[in-house]
Amino acid sequence: MASPLFQKDSCRTFVGTLPGLLVCAVLPSFAAESGFPAPRPAYGIYFGDPLPWLSEAEQQQFQLGFQVFEKNWGPSDGAGDHFNAESCVSCHRDPLPGGSGSRDDSFILLQPAGTRPRKLSRLFRDETGSVRQLPPPGGVFRRRTPALFGLGLIEVIPAGQIAARASLQPEGMRGRPVWIDGRLGRFGAKANVPDLEEFTEDALHTELGIPTEVIATRLRVDGSLQNLLQYLRGLAPPSPRPSWDPDSRGARLFQMLECSVCHVPEYRIRLETASTKNEEVVIRPYTDLLVHRMGAARSDLSDAPDIRADEFRTAPLWGLASVGPPYLHDGAARSLTDAILMHGGEAQHSADQFKALSAEEKEALLEFLRSL
Amino acid sequence: MTMNHTLHARMLTTLLVGIAAVAPCLGGQSAPSKSKSSNFAIITNWGDDTCSLVSVESVEKTREAEQISVIKVGAKPYDVKVESGGRFAYVTCSGADFISVIDLQANLEDQKGRIRIGQGPRDLVLSPDEKRIVVANSGEDTISVVDRASGQQLYTVPVGNIPYGVGLARDGKLAVITLWGSNQVALVELGETAGRVLKHIPVGNLPYTVGIAASGDLALVTCFGSHRVDVIDLQSMSLLSPSVEVGKSPWGLAISDDGASALVANFYAGSASFLQIAPTEKNALSPHRSPVSEVARVDLASELKEQSSPAAGPVQAARHRAKNSSISSDGLVALMTDLSRNKVMVLDMKSRKLRGEISVGHAPYGIAFIPKR
């Protein structure tokens, strides 16, 4: 379903081909000289802020959605007896509501089960209302609670632009788009979720334990679901730190080590909203949204029959140092250095090049990553 | 560090050596007398794993000042408290699960003195006799009680869902803990070797910080999601009404030493709420007449716009994210951290005007005046 915040059908982009990339690269200076307005950066003031161009009505709905996000769900709300958390915010909270999770119990647990893994519940509410922990079985895999900032803008990057990126990537580092019933997968560790509505409904059901029929008959009817979606779509991306400098030594190393092949720095998208009126905005998520093979050591589960166990979506790096540690899809990395060194498969040579850097160069690159 | 900063750091060190020379020995003392705030304060920079030392007087002449020195600590430093002698600061490192101990005389962290506690430590508080430290471990639903002299954790107490804020009352025997995940406050009895939860009190949504009024009878709790401060009568262990409506998303709270006022940092509003705490007779609190009220609310962007010097050029409006605050012992000055601009704002508590700003590290979270004797 198209986002009410953005008219996806009317979105166009400059960046679809290599010439387009080049045009885009020179556009800012050309624009500055020619008097055309530069693209608007799409940040909030701080984590958890709404997109800066939301109208007053949209901001009000954003606030209503936040109330749904922070709400504790229980039996009186229709929540079932198996769940992982009582509210969205109890996991999505670092560094602020809407963020990632760092607690052990904010990780999603998955178990192999045929062609698709099964998500496990770690909590059980008995008939007296008491909640107890369910001990996890052996052989489970962990997925980290992702930060939600900026996902609304990731949702509206034109699918063609993302898919075309793969053909620009060199052999050996060539990712691939994940298609689900003709829709491009953008969300989740395996890029197997096409839009925020499906992402949200799945989370309400599997994480909060709300039955699908309750979502359909109660949350859709009373507007809670739509308000929650407006909140998620309205969350502004993290703004880079003042120290962020795309011309810094660290930024150049990021390119030299070919990190930017997969962690694509920038997209420019045209938004048609009540307040943006076909305006171009720039976002810097540092991801190509494609899946890449990350090596046997990083394998976990296949989330769908056509997604391999060692394939993972390139994680966005915006806000990196504030939404982690831990890092990587399973939180296995306790530091940025660990996260880089754990890159295998298509990224192995980048990790090897990082190892070969001097201490000074490593620190320059890490400082750049911390500034995103 | 620039040459000026290095010089300032040496001057500060010398000054603090002088202060420390007359400071009482650590531990083993009876309850210390109330110390006066010095001109100096310490701030935790969550975003770059450091603490900043600042001079409050530095804004008297220039309105815009810089930190004096920077001290490296553990990952994601969150809260800070300073013992009354002004020599040691204790910093919860929320990304590293320990307390960093900073020797302010030496201007560096004593890495061997790191105190291991629970996961995701957030707020901490020193007991009135300063023999103990109590910390909220947001990552494992407990609080840690630490012996300050030995630097060892004595025990933990399971308290409830995602503890964040800590306050102590009854001579350190009652802990008031905000439970962010369940919208409650836990009242915890602290013994010598163990503690137990006495009661859970429902409060507003996403309670972050708790402050204890000087009388020890009242706890004030910022409810981030409900945009209000809740007030708890610690004698009857019950919520008082009405709650105090403040600005959007109140996060940090500081109460003056005389217990008569409080300052609330309203995060998404970019404003500060000044609260008055009316004196009450012991055991005479009425459940329906809270003695706490908001007497003023200051928009920080307007303050800056009014007071910017012409040479500074136009000031960008409404870009503040006020996180935390601390009030000097004499009640005249307050400091408030601004996460979006990486500054500490110096506020005059009487006029409620901004005196100036000090640039610090990235994402200044915790703040505390450094006492002097």
Side-chain angles (χ1 to χ4, degrees):
Chain A
M1 179 185 290
S3 159
L5 278 179
F6 313 113
Q7 300 302 313
K8 286 205 272 193
D9 290 343
S10 65
C11 278
R12 299 195 304 275
T13 178
F14 282 150
V15 184
T17 63
L18 183 57
L21 276 169
L22 293 172
V23 167
C24 185
V26 304
L27 190 62
S29 54
F30 172 74
E33 288 175 12
S34 66
F36 287 114
R40 187 209 294 238
Y43 316 127
I45 297 169
Y46 203 70
F47 293 99
D49 270 305
L51 289 165
W53 54 76
L54 294 190
S55 66
E56 201 169 313
E58 288 166 342
Q59 288 198 37
Q60 282 175 4
Q61 193 165 20
F62 178 89
Q63 295 305 325
L64 289 173
F66 178 66
Q67 289 173 19
V68 179
F69 190 78
E70 65 173 351
K71 176 185 165 72
N72 280 333
W73 297 82
S76 61
D77 306 301
D81 48 24
H82 284 80
F83 55 100
N84 286 319
E86 289 180 301
S87 67
C88 308
V89 75
S90 60
C91 295
H92 290 282
R93 64 183 177 99
D94 291 327
L96 272 152
S100 64
S102 54
R103 282 169 58 115
D104 285 343
D105 63 4
S106 66
F107 281 74
I108 299 162
L109 299 181
L110 295 162
Q111 195 178 36
T115 55
R116 289 178 194 277
R118 178 169 54 234
K119 286 188 184 176
L120 302 177
S121 299
R122 63 172 82 238
L123 297 171
F124 173 71
R125 186 185 294 111
D126 65 26
E127 59 278 0
T128 70
S130 296
V131 176
R132 58 185 169 85
Q133 292 206 352
L134 298 170
V140 296
F141 294 85
R142 300 189 340 153
R143 296 273 172 84
R144 224 187 126 211
T145 299
L148 305 174
F149 310 118
L151 295 194
L153 291 175
I154 284 189
E155 191 179 36
V156 299
I157 300 172
Q161 180 186 350
I162 297 168
R165 173 73 53 182
S167 58
L168 297 171
Q169 292 174 334
E171 191 71 45
M173 291 184 76
R174 189 165 295 158
R176 67 180 186 88
V178 173
W179 296 98
I180 304 112
D181 300 327
R183 295 175 300 159
L184 180 79
R186 300 160 190 263
F187 304 110
K190 302 279 187 168
N192 57 322
V193 182
D195 57 44
L196 283 175
E197 185 159 348
E198 193 169 311
F199 179 93
T200 304
E201 287 201 43
D202 179 65
L204 288 169
H205 178 55
T206 58
E207 306 308 326
L208 302 190
I210 301 175
T212 50
E213 56 270 23
V214 172
I215 296 172
T217 60
R218 206 187 288 194
L219 272 65
R220 277 194 185 277
V221 171
D222 68 9
S224 295
L225 180 62
Q226 279 308 106
N227 289 340
L228 180 58
L229 280 168
Q230 297 297 62
Y231 168 71
L232 295 175
R233 287 179 170 136
L235 274 170
S239 61
R241 295 191 178 186
S243 55
W244 177 75
D245 178 2
D247 296 321
S248 65
R249 190 181 185 199
R252 292 197 303 274
L253 285 164
F254 187 79
Q255 282 187 314
M256 266 175 49
L257 270 56
E258 295 187 291
C259 310
S260 56
V261 170
C262 307
H263 290 285
V264 170
E266 186 176 291
Y267 295 84
R268 295 180 182 206
I269 49 181
R270 287 207 174 271
L271 296 177
E272 182 65 42
T273 70
S275 32
T276 56
K277 297 279 183 244
N278 200 30
E279 186 176 340
E280 188 184 57
V281 298
V282 61
I283 64 170
R284 298 191 175 99
Y286 286 84
T287 171
D288 59 5
L289 298 171
L290 303 172
V291 294
H292 295 264
R293 302 191 73 167
M294 295 302 292
R298 302 302 307 145
S299 286
D300 65 0
L301 296 166
S302 303
D303 282 25
D306 61 342
I307 303 177
R308 301 183 194 95
D310 67 345
E311 281 186 311
F312 293 90
R313 182 199 66 156
T314 308
L317 299 183
W318 53 14
L320 187 64
S322 294
V323 300
Y327 300 111
L328 301 180
H329 73 278
D330 56 358
R334 296 298 304 176
S335 69
L336 289 176
T337 299
D338 286 348
I340 295 169
L341 294 176
M342 285 180 178
H343 280 56
E346 293 175 28
Q348 183 66 59
H349 77 283
S350 295
D352 291 341
Q353 286 183 85
F354 174 79
K355 252 189 266 188
L357 293 178
S358 68
E360 234 187 350
E361 287 169 326
K362 283 189 176 107
E363 182 52 33
L365 177 55
L366 292 173
E367 187 52 40
F368 173 69
L369 290 174
R370 288 190 282 262
S371 74
L372 298 181
Chain B
M1 242 190 229
T2 65
M3 189 64 86
N4 277 342
H5 286 167
T6 308
L7 179 60
H8 282 149
R10 288 198 192 124
M11 288 167 64
L12 171 66
T13 303
T14 306
L15 175 67
L16 291 174
V17 166
I19 292 169
V22 297
C25 296
L26 291 172
Q29 295 280 325
S30 56
S33 57
K34 281 244 158 76
S35 303
K36 299 285 183 203
S37 297
S38 72
N39 165 47
F40 299 99
I42 181 169
I43 292 94
T44 62
N45 301 309
W46 184 87
D48 56 27
D49 303 343
T50 62
C51 286
S52 298
L53 293 183
V54 301
S55 159
V56 179
E57 287 172 359
S58 61
V59 302
E60 292 302 316
K61 289 183 184 159
T62 61
R63 289 216 175 276
E64 300 246 346
E66 298 286 330
Q67 60 197 354
I68 294 172
S69 66
V70 176
I71 302 167
K72 193 91 180 72
V73 291
K76 302 278 195 289
Y78 194 84
D79 191 20
V80 59
K81 294 291 188 296
V82 185
E83 51 89 16
S84 60
R87 173 142 182 209
F88 292 98
Y90 298 88
V91 175
T92 47
C93 295
S94 61
D97 304 341
F98 56 71
I99 296 174
S100 278
V101 182
I102 297 176
D103 183 341
L104 293 167
Q105 179 175 300
N107 206 33
L108 48 74
E109 182 201 3
D110 172 17
Q111 291 197 0
K112 288 187 183 157
R114 288 175 172 173
I115 304 173
R116 286 273 156 208
I117 43 176
Q119 284 186 31
R122 301 287 174 173
D123 286 357
L124 83 167
V125 66
L126 298 178
S127 61
D129 63 7
E130 298 193 336
K131 289 183 179 177
R132 295 194 169 182
I133 305 171
V134 182
V135 184
N137 301 313
S138 70
E140 61 175 57
D141 296 347
T142 64
I143 58 172
S144 289
V145 178
V146 171
D147 175 64
R148 195 165 79 93
S150 65
Q152 297 297 315
Q153 179 177 271
L154 294 172
Y155 60 87
T156 60
V157 184
V159 291
N161 201 353
I162 313 181
Y164 256 88
V166 189
L168 289 182
R170 296 186 196 163
D171 291 325
K173 294 186 175 53
L174 179 71
V176 183
I177 310 296
T178 61
L179 301 178
W180 198 83
S182 56
N183 304 330
Q184 296 172 314
V185 157
L187 299 182
V188 186
E189 182 182 69
L190 299 179
E192 289 299 312
T193 57
R196 65 186 182 107
V197 174
L198 298 175
K199 191 172 184 180
H200 284 115
I201 301 173
V203 293
N205 290 350
L206 306 181
Y208 263 118
T209 310
V210 60
I212 307 295
S215 62
D217 293 336
L218 289 177
L220 277 61
V221 179
T222 54
C223 301
F224 186 91
S226 302
H227 319 303
R228 71 186 201 218
V229 171
D230 277 353
V231 184
I232 295 173
D233 173 5
L234 294 177
Q235 294 297 317
S236 64
M237 296 192 186
S238 59
L239 199 60
L240 298 180
S241 65
S243 300
V244 183
E245 301 294 321
V246 292
K248 189 158 175 262
S249 315
W251 195 337
L253 168 96
I255 298 183
S256 59
D257 279 4
D258 65 7
S261 54
L263 182 65
V264 179
N266 299 313
F267 188 71
Y268 283 123
S271 67
S273 286
F274 291 78
L275 308 187
Q276 182 182 73
I277 305 171
T280 54
E281 294 290 325
K282 212 165 181 64
N283 298 321
L285 284 164
S286 163
H288 302 297
R289 200 185 299 166
S290 164
V292 184
S293 58
E294 184 188 41
V295 293
R297 192 180 304 179
V298 171
D299 180 84
L300 297 164
S302 302
E303 274 297 300
L304 259 187
K305 201 170 175 184
E306 264 182 34
Q307 299 188 24
S308 65
S309 71
V315 175
Q316 291 190 8
R319 292 189 62 83
H320 299 270
R321 290 294 174 259
K323 196 274 182 195
N324 211 347
S325 57
S326 183
I327 302 175
S328 61
S329 279
D330 58 15
L332 297 178
V333 174
L335 302 176
M336 186 166 279
T337 63
D338 184 344
L339 287 193
S340 67
R341 297 162 66 248
N342 299 323
K343 290 180 188 273
V344 168
M345 293 173 280
V346 182
L347 296 164
D348 186 300
M349 284 294 284
K350 265 194 170 171
S351 68
R352 298 174 188 142
K353 293 285 183 193
L354 193 68
R355 284 192 190 174
E357 296 188 297
I358 306 171
S359 293
V360 290
H362 192 81
Y365 266 45
I367 187 162
F369 274 92
I370 298 173
K372 67 178 179 184
R373 295 280 294 174

